[in-house]
Amino acid sequence: MALFGPPGVGKGTQAARLRDAEGVAHISTGDALRKAVAEGTETGLKAKSYMDRGELVPDEVVIAIAKESLQREGKNGFILDGFPRTVAQAEALDKVLDEIGAPLQVVVNLQAPEDELVRRLSGRRLCSKCGAGYHVESMPSAVEGKCDACGAETVQREDDKPEAIRNRLQVYEAKTAPVIDYYAHKSILRNVDASGPVDEVLRKIESALKSIGD
Ligand code: AP5
């Protein structure tokens, strides 16, 4: 399955819960790119300036990452998070999934109002060491600025600063939202209201997944 939706809607949060519940691979191109940046690889060096500005990383770079991850981990089920984000990526994904014999069965399109997206993104904090995620209002760490799991400092993502958030939302509308039609035409799109609390959204996703084939 793929979790689709604008920046901050909760794709990563829900993908982690679904992965734990269903024991399938969680494939996030955003996480893979951040790891490449942190490790200073050639891909990371190419991607960093796009990511910091909230622009999409070029298709060929991201398609190569997704392809490699799916071939390595995707044969027994997967949750795609943040991929595909352009129609060219969606077409490339179809080819890869044909090759591994695991067609996409459902795309869950998470939806929330823009002011809620901005609230979620601007309040997000991540542990600088272990990557655990927090939100200053809805999921705060026990001690402000410190990770509950390992005690390291929590930080804000560069692209969660106001100018980059604005750009990400515009890029989503211009380049990523058209992918919704691509999957609506294939009749595998399920819209889910993601504006409520995390557990409520999870229940709605699970109920949408039960409707596959209806
Ligand atoms: P990526 O990491 O994929 O960022 P994104 O799509 O902008 O998504 P986010 O991670 O910001 O949000 P999310 O929907 O996962 O929300 P989350 O669960 O964290 O990509 C980053 C960059 O990498 C891109 O801008 C681009 O440059 C590049 N990139 C990645 N993939 C690419 C691709 N395919 N093509 C080209 N470039 C690509 O939640 C956000 C916050 O809200 C958290 O603090 C969370 O605790 C909180 N929260 C979540 N759910 C709820 C809830 N229900 N109620 C209250 N708070 C909530």
Side-chain angles (χ1 to χ4, degrees), residues 78-117:
F78 56 83
I79 301 165
L80 286 169
D81 159 9
F83 183 89
R85 258 172 148 102
T86 62
V87 172
Q89 291 179 20
E91 289 167 350
L93 174 63
D94 282 345
K95 282 198 196 127
V96 177
L97 295 180
D98 265 358
E99 283 164 22
I100 65 170
L104 195 55
Q105 290 174 329
V106 60
V107 175
V108 174
N109 179 30
L110 299 176
Q111 300 170 310
E114 187 167 310
D115 56 352
E116 177 65 10
L117 302 177

Side-chain angles (χ1 to χ4, degrees), residues 6-13 29-31 33-34 50-51 54-57 62 81-85 89 116 119-121 124 134-135 138-139 157 159-160 168 194 196-198 201:
V9 76
K11 300 180 296 293
T13 302
T29 43
D31 286 349
L33 287 165
R34 277 184 290 279
Y50 293 97
M51 296 176 75
E55 297 290 334
L56 294 184
V57 173
V62 184
D81 159 9
F83 183 89
R85 258 172 148 102
Q89 291 179 20
E116 177 65 10
R119 196 188 68 74
R120 289 183 187 179
L121 290 170
R124 173 166 49 193
Y134 300 93
H135 189 280
S138 60
M139 215 190 291
R157 258 167 60 172
D159 62 349
D160 281 345
R168 286 161 71 195
V198 173
V201 177

Side-chain angles (χ1 to χ4, degrees), residues 165-175:
I165 290 178
R166 270 195 298 280
N167 198 28
R168 286 161 71 195
L169 292 169
Q170 281 169 8
V171 168
Y172 174 79
E173 283 306 324
K175 299 196 173 152

Side-chain angles (χ1 to χ4, degrees), residues 19-31:
R19 172 201 60 206
D20 293 346
E22 299 184 17
V24 294
H26 171 192
I27 296 175
S28 158
T29 43
D31 286 349

